[in-house]
Amino acid sequence: MKFNPKLSWEFLSADEIAAKTLRALRNHIKHVKEVSPYYKEALWDIAADDIKSMDDFNRLPFTGRISLAEHPAKFITVEPHSVVETVATGGATGKPILCPLTANDLERLAFSQALSFRSTGISAEDRALLLLAMDRWSLAGMGYYRGLLLIGANTGRAGVAAHDLCRQYCESFKPTVLVGAPSFFRRLSVDLGKAGFDFKESGIKRIICAGESLKNQNMEMNALGKRLQETWGAKVFVTYTITELADSFCECVEQKGGHTHPELVYPEIVDENGRLLPDGTPGELVATSFGVEGLPLVRYRTGDITFKVPGDACACGRNSVRIGPILGRTSELIRTRGASVYPLTIMNALDEMDEISDYVIILENDDAHTDRVSIHVAAKPALVEKIANHVRTAARISFPILISNISTIQSMRGNWRKQVRIVDWRQQTPRR
Ligand SMILES: [Zn+2]
């Protein structure tokens, strides 16, 4: 397969993208009603030709994470022999959601990731080192790998390697691009700094940070992002992948939000009651994926809180919708003493403190209207007050800080793939 970025709509005018999107949505509805047992039932009273405007589309029912987790077979639209890879994501019911991918789905994923990386300036001249999990059912790591191959970059898969090995890889492979989780780069930077690694001479120009947000609600880089840029003398980009959509949203060279791929996904932002929100207002990301064969979805409630970046086209020339940083999960919104706090606010405050080696935030029910929050940090006991003050200043609410150690914090996380920073033990009313 040859990478053909001209297949993307991202440089078309906003009007052209809107017209193509409406046609794609109509075709998508026609398709899923024919092939998907779930949508045959859920959209039984809707004809694709009735969708004459975006308003018509916005009246279609949502697809909840619970429905997908409980009835995965109803969503699968291909014969078992067409599936060439299965990936998984943490399920809303505690069970992982398995997502089947066909050969075409893998090509679509590679195309999506190649577009994303290309928008950061990565080319066939680059050498990219992947420092994240390629196993454990991960779509993201596999997608980054395929996208880099499609661009033609010389790509090495190191995995979550020991820090002394990372140093050796940097010195021998001489990567120009690193891809991994921000928390991994944070610890790697500290260890390599202690070992006298010459960051500025390393030749690394770009660090692609996956899976964790590095921006605040004002789209400013947080302390960790700034520190990574300063330490490595490289540009730090944020990318965010949704397994169920087999797509990602990545910052371009302008770094003003993650570009969506209009030919692959249609994004919406809605409030708790499912009403569309204006650009700039945070709410839940809802997305419809185009061209997915294994697991096509309509108005899928991702559970992630973000917003559409307001304003005109991006200075990079792309007219695709951009979304802001992921501020948290809908299920994670903390309600305490009459106020609501996005978990990202607390995480950004903790990330700013070099003295904290690791942390986890535990959420529990207190009573019907209040959540109990405890923040476990790996830090010196003498720092409790300093950390508590810092978090209070950022969140405008005080939370208890409990001193712990790295291994205890690790054991609180459970065993899912991501570096979990929030553990939610609250009883929830699931949304279907
Ligand atoms: Zn841009």
Side-chain angles (χ1 to χ4, degrees):
M1 181 186 165
K2 200 168 173 297
F3 179 43
N4 182 5
K6 287 187 183 152
L7 291 174
S8 171
W9 305 346
E10 58 191 3
F11 287 105
L12 299 179
S13 72
D15 286 348
E16 283 173 303
I17 292 176
K20 278 179 170 280
T21 300
L22 184 58
R23 275 200 296 277
L25 289 171
R26 201 181 291 134
N27 290 338
H28 185 61
I29 297 304
K30 190 161 181 270
H31 175 66
V32 296
K33 279 178 60 99
E34 284 167 6
V35 298
S36 161
Y38 179 84
Y39 290 114
K40 261 180 208 168
E41 219 174 286
L43 304 177
W44 68 274
D45 57 345
I46 291 150
D49 289 339
D50 290 343
I51 299 168
K52 296 189 173 21
S53 67
M54 291 312 225
D55 283 347
D56 292 335
F57 179 78
N58 295 334
R59 280 195 280 273
L60 297 185
F62 294 108
T63 305
R65 286 170 58 84
I66 300 284
S67 301
L68 180 56
E70 285 184 350
H71 310 290
K74 284 183 147 190
F75 286 86
I76 297 170
T77 58
V78 288
E79 295 296 324
H81 65 81
S82 305
V83 177
V84 296
E85 172 141 13
T86 299
V87 294
T89 181
T93 58
K95 270 196 310 188
I97 299 173
L98 298 183
C99 306
L101 298 165
T102 65
N104 286 337
D105 288 339
L106 288 180
E107 289 203 356
R108 176 187 171 280
L109 175 67
F111 177 67
S112 153
Q113 298 297 353
L115 286 176
S116 290
F117 286 138
R118 184 172 176 264
S119 73
T120 70
I122 295 175
S123 73
E125 308 299 316
D126 279 295
R127 287 181 303 282
L129 185 61
L130 289 163
L131 293 167
L132 42 73
M134 299 289 297
D135 57 355
R136 302 177 78 177
W137 305 91
S138 163
L139 173 114
M142 184 264 290
Y144 302 145
Y145 173 62
R146 284 177 170 267
L148 289 163
L149 295 193
L150 191 55
I151 283 184
N154 180 351
T155 306
R157 287 177 285 127
V160 186
H163 296 173
D164 55 335
L165 283 175
C166 290
R167 176 183 184 152
Q168 289 174 32
Y169 300 148
C170 286
E171 287 168 353
S172 54
F173 181 58
K174 296 198 183 338
T176 53
V177 178
L178 300 180
V179 185
S183 50
F184 176 81
F185 289 127
R186 177 193 193 201
R187 292 191 298 271
L188 179 66
S189 308
V190 172
D191 282 356
L192 292 193
K194 282 183 195 159
F197 180 75
D198 193 342
F199 294 96
K200 302 280 159 56
E201 289 301 311
S202 67
I204 291 158
K205 297 192 196 84
R206 294 177 183 80
I207 299 178
I208 312 289
C209 285
E212 297 160 24
S213 192
L214 283 177
K215 298 279 178 82
N216 63 22
Q217 203 171 332
N218 301 322
M219 309 275 289
E220 294 154 348
M221 191 75 92
N222 70 13
L224 173 57
K226 282 185 197 155
R227 200 177 320 138
L228 289 177
Q229 295 209 138
E230 279 163 23
T231 304
W232 293 82
K235 230 172 167 186
V236 169
F237 296 89
V238 180
T239 187
Y240 156 64
T241 301
I242 303 181
T243 301
E244 301 92 305
L245 301 172
D247 201 12
S248 67
F249 311 114
C250 183
E251 288 183 326
C252 67
V253 287
E254 299 294 330
Q255 301 192 287
K256 302 261 171 63
H259 278 280
T260 58
H261 303 125
E263 64 287 328
L264 302 180
V265 72
Y266 172 64
E268 303 169 71
I269 304 290
V270 303
D271 68 12
E272 279 180 273
N273 299 312
R275 285 183 298 243
L276 287 183
L277 289 169
D279 293 356
T281 305
E284 183 177 3
L285 174 67
V286 168
T288 300
S289 50
F290 302 138
V292 173
E293 289 183 342
L295 193 77
L297 294 168
V298 175
R299 304 198 84 199
Y300 179 63
R301 294 190 86 136
T302 64
D304 288 326
I305 300 166
T306 183
F307 53 90
K308 284 190 190 176
V309 176
D312 297 330
C314 184
C316 73
R318 290 174 181 81
N319 279 307
S320 46
V321 169
R322 282 164 291 148
I323 61 163
I326 303 304
L327 303 170
R329 309 258 323 142
T330 48
S331 57
E332 289 169 352
L333 189 65
I334 300 165
R335 292 188 175 85
T336 182
R337 281 162 270 160
S340 296
V341 183
Y342 288 118
L344 185 66
T345 309
I346 303 173
M347 294 193 286
N348 276 341
L350 296 169
D351 284 337
E352 278 169 359
M353 300 191 71
D354 281 337
E355 301 95 326
I356 299 174
S357 320
D358 201 358
Y359 66 85
V360 67
I361 302 166
I362 306 281
L363 307 180
E364 293 168 277
N365 285 116
D366 207 341
D367 60 44
H369 306 291
T370 305
D371 298 322
R372 190 161 59 228
V373 182
S374 51
I375 302 171
H376 299 252
V377 297
K380 288 186 181 145
L383 290 166
V384 166
E385 205 172 320
K386 185 178 174 189
I387 298 169
N389 287 342
H390 191 64
V391 172
R392 186 170 57 236
T393 305
R396 299 199 185 115
I397 297 179
S398 53
F399 295 106
I401 306 292
L402 301 157
I403 298 293
S404 186
N405 57 54
I406 289 176
S407 61
T408 307
I409 287 172
Q410 197 60 39
S411 69
M412 291 176 183
R413 292 196 166 110
N415 61 358
W416 194 242
R417 184 173 56 244
K418 284 182 187 164
Q419 162 103 13
V420 173
R421 295 190 290 174
I422 294 187
V423 174
D424 197 344
W425 288 336
R426 295 173 297 183
Q427 299 290 319
Q428 305 264 348
T429 312
R431 186 165 50 209
R432 308 194 81 77

